[in-house]
Amino acid sequence: MLKSEYLQRVYTQVIARDPDQREFHQAVLEVLESLDLIVEKHPEYEKHGIIEAFVEPERVISFRVPWVDDQGRVRVNRGYRIQFSSAIGPYKGGLRFHPTVNLSILKFLGFEQILKNSLTGLPMGGAKGGADFDPKGKSDNEVMRFCQSFMTELNRHIGQFVDVPAGDIGVGAREIGYLFGQYRRIRGSYDAGVLTGKGLAFGGSLARTEATGYGLCYLTEEMLKCMKNDSFAGKTVVISGSGNVAIFAAEKATALGAKVVALSDSNGYIHDPDGIKLDVVKDIKLKRRARIKVYADEVPGSTYADGFRGIWNVPCDIALPCATQNEIDEETAKIIVKNGAMAVAEGANMPCRPEAIRVFQEAGLLFAPAKAANAGGVATSGLEMSQNSMRYSWTFEEVDHRLQEIMVNIFHNTYDASVECDAPGDLVVGANIAGFLKVAGVMLAQGLI
Ligand code: NDP
Ligand code: 2IT
């Protein structure tokens, strides 16, 4: 139950409107619990209906995506784009292609994206989209035909000043290339800034591929330094997932002196007590698009076990969940604590259930929430948009340096906000409030209501 009668009323209405959207309810409740600490000081929010508007997407687009498989059969998937908030800039956020995609998941992701993008300090609104299409086991040609069909519908809703999609689960450089090609053909215009995560030869930014994982480690390093006078050096790290975010988080954690000993995919996990060999992982996952299990076949001394949750039985100092939402529940969190971890930072979006976060915080672990910790990806997307507008490219070092600055600033703004609302060190509260105050201020200033 929320303390504020106003916030409780808004939350009750969110549930009544869409009773089945559990992930969305979860994301909204977490933010409203944080706002409960400040809402009394801001009667203007209720007067102007700010919270009611904030939890309702500006636009929800749903469409049919027909495509032809390699056997010549017509398949039909469902595509979406949730344009959640354009208060502080054009809608911005990734596209997810995964069989579990539905409105609840995309609304939670779009909602969190508003606050995450606000924290970056760059002018980007919040959005998310995708389809219940499973790229696994599909040929390149099938993926291409799917992307072309998806963009044939999506193109009318996006643009560099309107809505700028990027990648997420199941959408990487290959998919963005096909999507951009179709956009360009349909529109007859080279609008590089309409998508981010593009190939380097057609307007992509150096360091965008690495950005989410690197950014996660930059923020975590700053958190360790400022809150525990410590660092990654000499620490044992476990990272779930083995996709874009996980691989580059492992690369940066290793560069900062840590030893990464486990990675996973949706089938199981690998454990390499000597430290994961990233060149092998990159070859398996990025080049061969094979399963993580192959690592244990090829690297002596490493082991594979079925079941992706088992990875959290591997003891670590720092846990970086980088796979998907709600993979760490209360019981799993207790195992991580019992095994002696000191910090958890979310590379994935909402990988920890609320009860798990409580377990970490009550046990005194440092906890960095996704909105702050994984904002480096979208921040670098913002830098890609800047470079596209200038028709110019920065070097890897320039982009990486800006990314580091942004992540350090996000940590401090988040930490300071937690102190200001009497929850010092609670970065969940800090990220929600620091992100929200800016968006709410703009909604009031623009008179959206
Ligand atoms: P990828 O598609 O590159 O990799 C996803 C990884 O997570 C794979 O190892 C995949 O395993 C695993 N995974 C996906 N779904 C599930 C599931 N239901 N259960 C168990 N494992 C699963 O995606 P990203 O690395 O880009 O994304 C990972 C997370 O990071 C997501 O939460 C995403 O929203 C978030 N994120 C991504 C950003 C980006 O820039 N890409 C930016 C900020 C956050 P398998 O191969 O078996 O499916
Ligand atoms: O969740 C995320 O922040 C992303 N998938 C990246 C979005 C983006 O627009 O770069």
Side-chain angles (χ1 to χ4, degrees):
M1 203 54 183
L2 294 151
K3 277 200 307 286
S4 152
E5 183 270 327
Y6 170 46
L7 294 180
Q8 184 60 42
R9 188 161 20 97
V10 172
Y11 184 57
T12 304
Q13 194 184 34
V14 164
I15 295 175
R17 278 199 168 137
D18 299 293
D20 299 330
Q21 296 182 354
R22 292 226 200 104
E23 291 84 2
F24 181 54
H25 303 163
Q26 184 184 333
V28 168
L29 181 60
E30 185 206 275
V31 172
L32 296 186
E33 280 171 353
S34 299
L35 298 186
D36 223 2
L37 301 174
I38 59 157
V39 75
E40 250 182 40
K41 280 189 253 158
H42 293 275
E44 70 277 17
Y45 292 164
E46 182 166 6
K47 186 161 167 243
H48 295 273
I50 292 296
I51 314 278
E52 290 92 320
F54 177 61
V55 298
E56 184 66 20
E58 288 178 20
R59 191 171 299 106
V60 175
I61 300 156
S62 165
F63 50 95
R64 178 172 70 185
V65 190
W67 56 283
V68 180
D69 69 18
D70 286 346
Q71 285 70 47
R73 278 192 311 250
V74 175
R75 308 268 203 109
V76 177
N77 284 94
R78 196 172 270 184
Y80 305 92
R81 186 72 178 165
I82 315 292
Q83 298 180 330
F84 220 119
S85 168
S86 59
I88 64 174
Y91 305 109
K92 180 84 195 90
L95 296 172
R96 176 176 292 192
F97 291 169
H98 195 272
T100 56
V101 160
N102 59 35
L103 265 183
S104 175
I105 288 180
L106 294 182
K107 278 177 68 180
F108 114 66
L109 289 162
F111 179 70
E112 298 223 317
Q113 199 81 43
I114 305 170
L115 300 178
K116 185 196 302 193
N117 294 2
S118 166
L119 287 171
T120 66
L122 300 171
M124 301 180 289
K128 201 82 188 190
D132 59 358
F133 171 76
D134 189 357
K136 250 183 242 144
K138 304 288 189 300
S139 69
D140 278 352
N141 278 335
E142 289 178 321
V143 171
M144 181 182 73
R145 288 194 292 272
F146 177 82
C147 289
Q148 290 175 339
S149 181
F150 186 85
M151 185 53 88
T152 299
E153 175 61 30
L154 187 69
N155 89 87
R156 72 192 70 215
H157 305 291
I158 62 176
Q160 62 166 325
F161 300 115
V162 180
D163 183 354
V164 183
D168 193 78
I169 291 178
V171 178
R174 174 182 63 173
E175 290 73 19
I176 294 290
Y178 294 146
L179 290 164
F180 185 74
Q182 184 71 352
Y183 184 87
R184 185 170 62 72
R185 275 189 288 272
I186 291 176
R187 305 291 281 239
S189 162
Y190 211 104
D191 303 335
V194 71
L195 290 171
T196 60
K198 298 179 294 292
L200 295 179
F202 56 98
S205 174
L206 286 160
R208 174 62 187 90
T209 305
E210 295 82 355
T212 311
Y214 278 23
L216 171 67
C217 292
Y218 294 146
L219 183 132
T220 305
E221 184 81 342
E222 189 69 10
M223 172 175 79
L224 290 166
K225 182 174 102 188
C226 298
M227 294 177 73
K228 278 255 181 348
N229 193 24
D230 210 329
S231 75
F232 266 108
K235 301 291 185 300
T236 299
V237 177
V238 167
I239 303 180
S240 64
S242 49
N244 172 268
V245 180
I247 289 175
F248 292 101
E251 183 165 283
K252 185 52 74 178
T254 307
L256 290 168
K259 183 158 82 170
V260 179
V261 296
L263 288 175
S264 60
D265 61 22
S266 55
N267 297 118
Y269 70 95
I270 51 160
H271 181 205
D272 188 341
D274 296 332
I276 301 273
K277 278 118 208 108
L278 274 173
D279 48 339
V280 179
V281 173
K282 284 184 183 174
D283 187 62
I284 293 169
K285 298 303 295 185
L286 304 179
K287 289 220 179 92
R288 291 189 260 162
R289 293 183 187 273
R291 310 303 298 158
I292 199 68
K293 184 181 202 295
V294 174
Y295 183 94
D297 301 334
E298 299 184 359
V299 178
S302 69
T303 52
Y304 173 80
D306 277 326
F308 69 90
R309 281 183 206 275
I311 190 171
W312 300 114
N313 293 318
V314 177
C316 64
D317 302 309
I318 299 170
L320 303 176
C322 294
T324 193
Q325 64 277 349
N326 287 333
E327 58 158 315
I328 298 186
D329 57 13
E330 184 170 16
E331 229 158 275
T332 312
K334 285 182 180 159
I335 295 170
I336 294 170
V337 170
K338 187 169 92 334
N339 283 340
M342 64 178 297
V344 180
E346 296 185 319
N349 286 307
M350 207 166 79
C352 301
R353 296 200 48 83
E355 314 83 60
I357 298 175
R358 260 190 296 278
V359 169
F360 294 138
Q361 291 181 328
E362 279 168 18
L365 273 69
L366 300 183
F367 180 79
K371 289 181 196 89
N374 73 27
V378 73
T380 308
S381 281
L383 300 177
E384 183 171 329
M385 291 163 74
S386 305
Q387 293 168 82
N388 292 152
S389 294
M390 289 189 291
R391 298 170 186 279
Y392 187 71
S393 309
W394 291 320
T395 62
F396 188 97
E397 289 68 29
E398 270 176 281
V399 180
D400 188 42
H401 179 71
R402 284 172 203 264
L403 169 64
Q404 283 184 53
E405 272 183 359
I406 290 171
M407 298 315 294
V408 167
N409 280 337
I410 291 177
F411 169 75
H412 287 285
N413 291 340
T414 299
Y415 185 83
D416 292 351
S418 78
V419 173
E420 271 161 39
C421 53
D422 282 336
D426 184 336
L427 302 182
V428 175
V429 163
N432 287 334
I433 290 183
F436 177 78
L437 287 175
K438 181 164 128 189
V439 175
V442 169
M443 289 170 83
L444 286 164
Q446 293 182 355
L448 291 177
I449 311 303

